[in-house]
Amino acid sequence: MSKSETKLADVTGQFTQVVKDGRKLSDTDWSNGRIVLSNKRLVIASNSGKQTVPLAQIQSIRGRYDVNRTIAKVSDYISVNAGQNVYLISMGEVEEFELQIQKAILDGEIVLVKHPAVKGGVVQDSAWKKARVKINEGVANFAVENGNFVQIEVDDVGTVESDERAVRGQERPVVEAEHTEEGTSVQTYLSGGGQNCAMLKSVLDRGAEKNASQIDLSSQEQEVLMAIYSGVSPFEVPEFLDIDTDDVEEMYERMIELDVLEEVRVRREVALKPRGRNIASESMNSK
């Protein structure tokens, strides 16, 4: 290693390549070996050889990529997407290793932040500002040039979308993340180089995937969510929707069990969780 290169991790585990030069490999199998991460590259080595992946080529880190039954037998692994190649890596502490890759690529990077871009469903007149990135376990932090601090908790992320937008007079990639701030739904926009945006989306996607809104709710339950999403107090929902209080209480109980609502305190004050915000937003958009 050169003087500018620092080893961050050196572990044993399993790995395989499932996409090579853009072509999916269906007959691939796991190999045991050594996995080394530095601030410059990822190296995977076995008795049959060594492969080096420059960190500059890594676009995203995702979850499962089951191409055959042999791959699917391993329960916990990450897929590293690097240009035309995709590698699967598995080890005892794979989530910790994933965090180390994210930190190696993103920590200290300068991106542009627009926060809040949307607050409570209303577009805000916020300006793009430079911010320095710091990734911690379950949190993406942004130290803004004006002294403000923007923090996005991954488990609180409802949706993440990527787009091309005019940013400071140029078309740039933008990541749009919905989360909460002091109990209010907000959207934070992030922009920068292609790799930084792809990796930030990869970080935040973990929460969005977990909080996906694919749940079968009744039309009344959706109306309850929309009411709370619009700012109606949970105590006022029965009168607001003309629904019996006991029925609303039963719906609250069911949606707490489904991880759509969280109980704030006894006597049934509730707040929307990310999955609930997704359902309410989708229901309102479909009206």
Side-chain angles (χ1 to χ4, degrees), residues 97-138:
F97 190 76
E98 177 182 11
L99 177 63
Q100 289 177 305
I101 298 176
Q102 293 167 344
K103 290 175 68 65
I105 293 173
L106 290 171
D107 276 4
E109 289 293 296
I110 301 297
V111 298
L112 293 172
V113 174
K114 190 173 188 179
H115 174 83
V118 180
K119 184 174 183 178
V122 180
V123 176
Q124 304 293 297
D125 188 25
S126 302
W128 288 99
K129 294 183 173 64
K130 290 182 181 180
R132 189 177 298 276
V133 183
K134 175 71 173 176
I135 303 297
N136 291 328
E137 184 176 356

